[in-house]
Amino acid sequence: MDIVLVPGLWLDASSWNLVVAHLTAAGHTPRPLTLPGLESAATDRSGVHVADQVAAVVAAIDAAVEPVILVGHSMGCAVAGAALDARVDRVATVVYVGGWPAEPGMIPAKNFPTDGADLPPVPWEEFDEADVRDLDRAAFEALLRPSPASLTSEPFELGDERRYSVPAVFVCPEYTAADLKEWVADGTESVAAIPKHKDVTYVDLPTGHWPQLSRPAELAAIIGQSVAPGVS
């Protein structure tokens, strides 16, 4: 099955390499993406908009022969959710890793500092210990490059509420499924989309915020099983 992999902030398609190897071995066709503005550290991001990143995911969905598994990580969850909104009939399951979809008008990255057209990577020292659990610092930092600053100011546009009917799997790495369910129950604004989904599965994957790097085999197994009954 085709699996579209959307990275979060500061990462390109290579951040999925370890997961891709496991998915390929399991017989899937992974399609890891480098979103516009993430081609290199030197890329000019001044003309890159949220809509451009969403369009890149939509194009990958359209390139698949059959409905895909759509996977987003962190900020990539919002981008994946917007692409789902644009191609509801072309997504069999959506998997949100370490994040969740945005609601219309939300700007999930609005609090990140920018530098001109760039949204620079957060320094290692500023991450919580839980975020970088199990992570190799040198390998992680070698992958990083700025994201487009537009992600901090441009809201996500969505319009097809059928997206709430697509089965959604929420992978919980540096926080637990119990934590996420509590945030939903408390009405936390950032997770407002989750209770609107009709078919939701929560999966614990205890590690840091980047399980594609720290627990790739386990994450690949969760993704591969996400279209089968019995995932819990």
Side-chain angles (χ1 to χ4, degrees):
M1 186 165 192
D2 281 36
I3 301 175
V4 176
L5 301 164
V6 184
L9 294 176
W10 316 309
L11 297 171
D12 69 358
S14 68
S15 63
W16 291 106
N17 282 355
L18 299 176
V19 172
V20 164
H22 291 288
L23 292 174
T24 302
H28 299 292
T29 303
R31 296 176 179 269
L33 304 183
T34 294
L35 298 177
L38 276 297
E39 294 84 358
S40 75
T43 295
D44 179 4
R45 282 165 274 273
S46 60
V48 180
H49 300 280
V50 166
D52 299 319
Q53 294 206 334
V54 175
V57 182
V58 169
I61 295 171
D62 288 345
V65 176
E66 298 178 349
V68 305
I69 301 176
L70 178 59
V71 182
H73 169 254
S74 192
M75 180 63 188
C77 292
V79 178
L84 167 65
D85 180 78
R87 291 294 185 273
V88 170
D89 296 329
R90 300 280 299 145
V91 178
T93 305
V94 59
V95 182
Y96 297 112
V97 182
W100 33 82
E103 282 286 82
M106 281 188 175
I107 307 174
K110 63 184 178 182
N111 293 323
F112 283 92
T114 60
D115 180 9
D118 292 349
L119 193 175
V122 170
W124 176 274
E125 293 79 10
E126 295 184 17
F127 287 117
D128 292 336
E129 184 176 345
D131 291 331
V132 296
R133 176 183 173 189
D134 304 326
L135 201 60
D136 181 281
R137 177 174 180 174
F140 173 64
E141 291 184 335
L143 293 172
L144 301 179
R145 70 281 306 278
S147 287
S150 59
L151 293 171
T152 69
S153 60
E154 297 180 359
F156 279 84
E157 305 294 340
L158 305 104
D160 191 342
E161 294 199 353
R162 292 181 300 157
R163 66 185 178 277
Y164 299 126
S165 297
V166 176
V169 178
F170 291 88
V171 180
C172 306
E174 79 275 19
Y175 52 87
T176 66
D179 291 332
L180 183 52
K181 291 175 182 178
E182 183 176 349
W183 300 334
V184 170
D186 288 345
T188 303
E189 182 181 7
S190 61
V191 298
I194 297 178
K196 297 182 181 182
H197 284 266
K198 297 177 173 61
D199 184 350
V200 173
T201 301
Y202 298 90
V203 183
D204 280 312
L205 181 55
T207 186
H209 184 63
W210 291 271
Q212 67 269 51
L213 301 174
S214 60
R215 299 281 295 275
E218 294 89 338
L219 180 56
I222 292 168
I223 294 169
Q225 294 164 7
S226 64
V227 292
V231 177
S232 61

